[in-house]
Amino acid sequence: MSNTRYTTWFLLFLLITGITSSCKKFLDVTPENVGTIDYAFRNRNEAENYLFACYGTLQSFGNATTDPFFTTSGEIMYPATIGEGPKVFDAGFQLMRGTQNVSNPVLNYWDGSYGGAAVFQAIRRCNIMLENINKPIDLTAFEKGRWIAELKFLKAYYHYFLAKMYGPVPIYKENQDITTPIEQLRVKRQPVDSVFNYAVQLIDEAVPNLPVVITDINRELGRITKVIALAVKAEIRTTQASPLFNGNPDYANYKNHDGQLLFSTTVDAGKWVIAAAACKAAIDAAQQQNLGLYQFIRPANLPANLPSILRQVLTLQNAVTEKWDLNNEVVWALNTIYYEQANSTPRLVPDFNLGAAPGTLAVPIGTTDLFYTKNGVPINEDKTWDYANRFSLKTGNAENKYLIGQDYQTIKNNFDREPRYYANIGFDGGVWYGNGVLDPDAAIFVQARTGPAAPKDNSRLNVTGIWPKKLVHYLSVFDKNGFSQTAFRIPRMRMADLYLLYAECLNESSGPTPEAYAYVDSVRTRAGLKGVVESWASYSFNPGKPLTKNGLREIIHRERRVELCFEAKAGWDLRRWKEWTTIMAQPVQGWSVFQHDPSDFYIPVTQFIPSLTVRDYFWPLSDGALQYNENLVQSPYWK
């Protein structure tokens, strides 16, 4: 696909026009220069540039290190202290340690500071363009309709994004006139249901005029389509139905200064029915465009005798890292590439450039424990799997040489796991197919104790000894010449996500049904597993678990955490389920990475214990925002 030049220009323009004014107050609704606005809409080309500026904040969401739901997922940690050397912007990762505050909130998307973009300013830009859409004299009616639809979608998504972070937020249907009294400019939060309903209303208005697909991928890849809009609507409705927002007793007394309640006080089961319908509509629309679950197609440069297990691993890994034009599973992705491949990669060969790939994004042991056994049930539920002795030593052999280094000593925990384990996790002794070595019988494996991947100093190390393999394209190469990456974009929505959302909604609205099982099982089948009913009946200590609503709920929640691991989903899912603080109360542990002997290396070491409470479900407003607008109330439980 030859869209590199256009995409680069597109992102550069967004960076310049969409971010430079992010430090201004979001309530500054007076146009800086009316003449400039008139110039911006004098013709189609200038107006299109402004449209791209409206997309700018959305594109900035693709930066993983400033994505609040990537950094707070608990799936990846970053050291609190690190020696001299390259560092990522790590403030978002440190939030798990209780570093959030009201004086200067981390990832402040309300004001646009400390890693966060100014989302209210993005809404303001959209409103300005909607107000001026009739000015370009050479804009066709067809394009005008499409652009209005795109702007409505962007407004919907920006309001939804803010609601995910802050709960009740102000709704900006239009910009205020410069003559509006200051009392009216000082808006207040709106109830969460009002925010969600407004976002859905905008999407419903947008859908008829959005294109079904992007036909000119060289110029327009990344712009919004009907399928994207319907998928986001499904996610909004599912969020609205979830326990964090649907009758949450924690916020029963959370009100505006005038006494207006901002959360519903009773659970409305009907919201799950509405969400299920939205999910099904999105799935149907996507399938009409031949979207489905990705399957790896062997390119010509790979051996014809590629073992089936490696093909399976590449299917699961490439469902995220494959190019857009070759991946029929991606519903939506942003133009921003994943910039942290080098920080997700271990040193794999003896002769390497030490400074090229620090490999500092570390996976806790708890994340690896999420993945099932080869029988498709949790490791502590499988009656055939030796859970009690999982940390005892075991040596790789010919039977598993495509997954674990032959004759290399690791632990039993790494054997007999499901294929997604080997696609997602880079562990000591684990085969890392690729990195320039495409002969499956000569595949490289990770050596984290005494080999290349072992710590070399206090800067270029992985503090848990485990890497997010899923976030590295198998054709990226790290060697003596440095790090050469095959770029990719983390999907914002893919079909497996939609299938599991739909199954969740069906179970919550109707309990276990054949249709709910079918959508979960389709994802599991692609991962090389049997269906949930069969797997639990055959291998679990709790064979009836999938047969109850509560049991299937637990299975679906775990299935989402496994299938969508490292994709910035768990940081939000765990919140909307109200499970985040409970699950994150466990110590974040890794291996004793400075030890060389396997019996000493495989001792869990606590890196930190998360410091999170109920207040951390939503971001606080800054002191400055509250002082600027006396009608705003602070986020729940923040003072």
Side-chain angles (χ1 to χ4, degrees):
M1 181 174 62
S2 59
N3 67 326
T4 303
R5 183 173 64 180
Y6 179 80
T7 300
T8 301
W9 174 88
F10 185 54
L11 289 174
L12 180 61
F13 183 89
L14 294 176
L15 180 65
I16 294 171
T17 60
I19 299 175
T20 53
S21 62
S22 64
C23 60
K24 298 178 182 178
K25 297 292 185 182
F26 72 89
L27 283 174
D28 179 15
V29 296
T30 305
E32 292 87 349
N33 187 307
V34 174
T36 301
I37 293 297
D38 289 338
Y39 183 90
F41 299 102
R42 65 176 182 163
N43 58 45
R44 181 203 171 279
N45 287 341
E46 298 295 343
E48 187 177 44
N49 288 341
Y50 200 94
L51 175 65
F52 291 163
C54 293
Y55 269 94
T57 301
L58 178 68
Q59 296 298 334
S60 74
F61 294 165
N63 185 344
T65 61
T66 56
D67 185 329
F69 306 115
F70 182 90
T71 63
T72 64
S73 67
E75 297 168 334
I76 291 176
M77 65 157 292
Y78 191 80
T81 58
I82 199 166
E84 295 295 325
K87 287 188 65 174
V88 304
F89 177 79
D90 68 335
F93 292 102
Q94 307 313 334
L95 287 173
M96 300 292 289
R97 302 174 187 265
T99 58
Q100 189 59 282
N101 64 93
V102 297
S103 60
N104 186 21
V106 179
L107 302 183
N108 182 356
Y109 282 87
W110 188 284
D111 300 312
S113 64
Y114 210 164
V119 180
F120 284 110
Q121 283 227 352
I123 295 171
R124 173 175 175 261
R125 289 190 198 97
C126 294
N127 283 336
I128 289 174
M129 186 160 188
L130 287 169
E131 292 165 2
N132 292 275
I133 195 67
N134 292 319
K135 289 184 177 179
I137 59 175
D138 55 344
L139 184 62
T140 67
F142 173 80
E143 279 192 310
K144 183 187 296 183
R146 179 184 177 184
W147 291 8
I148 289 172
E150 289 177 281
L151 291 164
K152 287 184 175 182
F153 172 87
L154 291 171
K155 281 183 63 178
Y157 194 79
Y158 290 144
H159 279 93
Y160 169 55
F161 183 88
L162 287 167
K164 288 169 67 175
M165 290 194 67
Y166 297 96
V169 297
I171 293 175
Y172 283 93
K173 295 185 177 181
E174 57 187 18
N175 291 334
Q176 297 293 338
D177 187 84
I178 59 175
T179 61
T180 302
I182 190 66
E183 294 77 13
Q184 295 180 34
L185 290 176
R186 288 176 175 163
V187 295
K188 63 179 184 178
R189 293 181 186 248
Q190 295 298 315
V192 288
D193 279 333
S194 297
V195 180
F196 292 136
N197 290 338
Y198 176 62
V200 168
Q201 174 193 327
L202 288 173
I203 290 176
D204 286 342
E205 292 173 2
V207 164
N209 289 317
L210 289 171
V212 176
V213 295
I214 296 298
T215 55
D216 187 352
I217 61 174
N218 291 327
R219 296 195 70 251
E220 296 186 343
L221 199 62
R223 292 176 67 172
I224 303 304
T225 65
K226 290 180 186 288
V227 175
I228 292 171
L230 291 172
V232 169
K233 176 182 175 179
E235 187 181 282
I236 293 172
R237 286 305 195 195
T238 305
T239 294
Q240 186 177 11
S242 298
L244 182 63
F245 295 103
N246 191 0
N248 187 345
D250 294 339
Y251 308 131
N253 295 314
Y254 184 56
K255 307 173 183 178
N256 275 325
H257 291 310
D258 60 6
Q260 181 185 29
L261 285 172
L262 296 174
F263 284 84
S264 61
T265 56
T266 56
V267 176
D268 181 358
K271 291 179 179 178
W272 285 111
V273 177
I274 294 171
C279 289
K280 188 60 166 63
I283 290 170
D284 289 345
Q287 290 178 337
Q288 287 172 11
Q289 302 308 315
N290 297 317
L291 296 183
L293 297 180
Y294 169 85
Q295 291 291 334
F296 180 73
I297 299 175
R298 183 184 63 83
N301 63 327
L302 262 62
N305 63 338
L306 189 69
S308 60
I309 185 59
L310 283 183
R311 188 185 295 269
Q312 176 85 71
V313 168
L314 288 173
T315 287
L316 298 167
Q317 194 171 350
N318 273 34
V320 170
T321 61
E322 184 63 275
K323 294 180 180 179
W324 275 355
D325 57 339
L326 299 177
N327 192 344
N328 68 320
E329 183 164 349
V330 175
V331 176
W332 184 27
L334 301 180
N335 291 74
T336 313
I337 67 170
Y338 176 64
Y339 290 110
E340 304 302 330
Q341 276 200 72
N343 269 311
S344 306
T345 305
R347 293 178 289 272
L348 294 164
V349 294
D351 190 8
F352 57 83
N353 181 332
L354 179 61
T360 45
L361 291 185
V363 177
I365 295 173
T367 300
T368 71
D369 287 346
L370 286 171
F371 293 84
Y372 300 132
T373 70
K374 66 179 182 181
N375 298 317
V377 297
I379 57 176
N380 60 341
E381 288 188 38
D382 191 330
K383 58 189 179 184
T384 71
W385 200 79
D386 190 6
Y387 180 79
N389 297 306
R390 66 191 184 281
F391 294 161
S392 61
L393 300 177
K394 185 174 179 178
T395 302
N397 55 40
E399 182 182 351
N400 43 60
K401 68 176 183 178
Y402 297 121
L403 300 175
I404 296 173
Q406 192 166 359
D407 300 323
Y408 189 83
Q409 196 171 39
T410 179
I411 49 174
K412 293 180 69 175
N413 189 64
N414 295 324
F415 290 78
D416 297 324
R417 303 295 291 271
E418 62 159 312
R420 286 178 295 192
Y421 182 80
Y422 303 103
N424 279 260
I425 306 298
F427 58 88
D428 179 47
V431 167
W432 191 287
Y433 182 74
N435 200 64
V437 180
L438 302 181
D439 179 357
D441 291 311
I444 302 168
F445 60 90
V446 180
Q447 299 177 62
R449 292 185 282 106
T450 58
K456 297 297 184 287
D457 52 37
N458 288 324
S459 298
R460 299 166 184 87
L461 81 165
N462 184 295
V463 295
T464 65
I466 309 168
W467 290 262
K469 179 182 178 184
K470 183 184 189 177
L471 296 180
V472 182
H473 197 287
Y474 79 100
L475 293 178
S476 294
V477 177
F478 178 29
D479 58 20
K480 64 181 180 181
N481 298 315
F483 186 77
S484 175
Q485 72 172 15
T486 297
F488 68 91
R489 300 157 178 86
I490 297 178
R492 204 142 190 96
M493 178 78 74
R494 58 187 177 95
M495 291 300 287
D497 186 355
L498 269 180
Y499 288 172
L500 294 174
L501 276 183
Y502 184 41
E504 178 185 349
C505 293
L506 289 173
N507 184 58
E508 295 298 337
S509 59
S510 306
T513 64
E515 191 174 17
Y517 292 138
Y519 276 92
V520 177
D521 290 350
S522 66
V523 176
R524 289 170 60 88
T525 298
R526 197 265 298 272
L529 303 176
K530 302 292 186 182
V532 291
V533 174
E534 181 180 354
S535 295
W536 260 262
S538 300
Y539 297 104
S540 174
F541 290 116
N542 185 9
K545 187 175 183 177
L547 307 180
T548 68
K549 182 176 183 177
N550 289 341
L552 186 57
R553 175 189 298 127
E554 183 180 328
I555 289 171
I556 292 172
H557 287 192
R558 190 178 193 127
E559 193 69 36
R560 282 188 63 81
R561 295 182 67 192
V562 170
E563 175 65 28
L564 304 172
C565 191
F566 307 137
E567 296 179 47
K569 294 293 181 178
W572 176 240
D573 279 345
L574 290 171
R575 281 180 167 87
R576 68 179 179 86
W577 296 329
K578 285 189 66 180
E579 297 175 3
W580 187 56
T581 53
T582 301
I583 287 176
M584 296 303 161
Q586 302 303 312
V588 174
Q589 296 183 316
W591 301 121
S592 185
V593 296
F594 291 101
Q595 302 299 317
H596 304 306
D597 188 273
S599 60
D600 297 325
F601 179 90
Y602 286 111
I603 296 177
V605 173
T606 296
Q607 292 294 324
F608 69 97
I609 298 175
S611 179
L612 302 170
T613 67
V614 67
R615 73 177 187 175
D616 293 295
Y617 276 97
F618 293 116
W619 259 249
L621 304 191
S622 67
D623 290 334
L626 293 172
Q627 292 169 4
Y628 187 79
N629 182 359
E630 61 188 17
N631 288 334
L632 292 175
V633 291
Q634 182 58 280
S635 297
Y637 302 102
W638 288 93
K639 296 180 180 179

